Amino acid sequence: MATFYRYLASAFVVVLVGALDACSQGAAPTPAKPLNLSAAIHQAKVGDAVLQTQTVPLSSINAATAKHYGIDTTKEGVLWLVTVRDAAGNSLSPADLQLSATTSVLPDPPKPLSLRAIQTAGMTDYIGVVQANAPASVQFQLVAKRGTERSEVTTTVDLQR
């Protein structure tokens, strides 16, 4: 089931990123990219909820998707995607799920990161955006609580030109 869950999350990221966006206008500066995409994906479990976090460079998000979700891609930075599913990869009600996030463009100290719920194909995901100019290391920390259980996810993504 973990493979199915990864497939769903990856499919969403492909749609979100619009990797095959053919509507390029003029020459753009080289976008900031994570050094290692696979290192930017992490999973945690809290109760029956499986959380997966993934980072996406803002420059990789196509204009239509950015507009739809209200994401400002005119500056460099990183979108942090948090997906919430059950163990089989199905939709899970986030009713009693509490998420709190912090971020830091290292070496700056952590500060709260606002996560915004978005609906995709009947599923609730969360996004947060951090402005950072490459080269930079951006650290994210998520604390998830559901009932009496608690879990943390910490990840760092390095942006380069």
Side-chain angles (χ1 to χ4, degrees), residues 34-69:
L35 288 174
N36 182 350
L37 280 173
S38 64
I41 301 171
H42 295 277
Q43 286 189 347
K45 187 172 180 183
V46 59
D48 61 344
V50 177
L51 308 172
Q52 179 172 305
T53 66
Q54 184 166 1
T55 57
V56 179
L58 294 178
S59 60
S60 298
I61 302 171
N62 72 35
T65 301
K67 182 177 180 180
H68 179 77
Y69 290 110

Side-chain angles (χ1 to χ4, degrees), residues 12-117:
F12 175 75
V13 170
V14 168
V15 170
L16 181 67
V17 172
L20 300 176
D21 183 28
C23 300
S24 176
Q25 297 180 355
T30 304
K33 297 179 182 176
L35 288 174
N36 182 350
L37 280 173
S38 64
I41 301 171
H42 295 277
Q43 286 189 347
K45 187 172 180 183
V46 59
D48 61 344
V50 177
L51 308 172
Q52 179 172 305
T53 66
Q54 184 166 1
T55 57
V56 179
L58 294 178
S59 60
S60 298
I61 302 171
N62 72 35
T65 301
K67 182 177 180 180
H68 179 77
Y69 290 110
I71 301 168
D72 180 5
T73 59
T74 62
K75 298 179 182 170
E76 286 187 287
V78 181
L79 177 133
W80 198 34
L81 171 67
V82 179
T83 60
V84 180
R85 307 287 185 266
D86 67 13
N90 299 311
S91 176
L92 186 68
S93 172
D96 66 337
L97 180 67
Q98 298 174 356
L99 300 177
S100 61
T102 60
T103 187
S104 176
V105 179
L106 300 175
D108 295 341
K111 62 182 180 180
L113 176 64
S114 175
L115 294 177
R116 183 167 45 101

Side-chain angles (χ1 to χ4, degrees), residues 137-158:
S137 292
V138 182
Q139 185 175 64
F140 297 93
Q141 182 174 31
L142 177 71
V143 175
K145 296 177 184 176
R146 187 168 191 147
T148 60
E149 296 193 35
R150 180 181 194 271
S151 187
E152 291 185 28
V153 177
T154 300
T155 186
T156 301
V157 62
D158 292 318

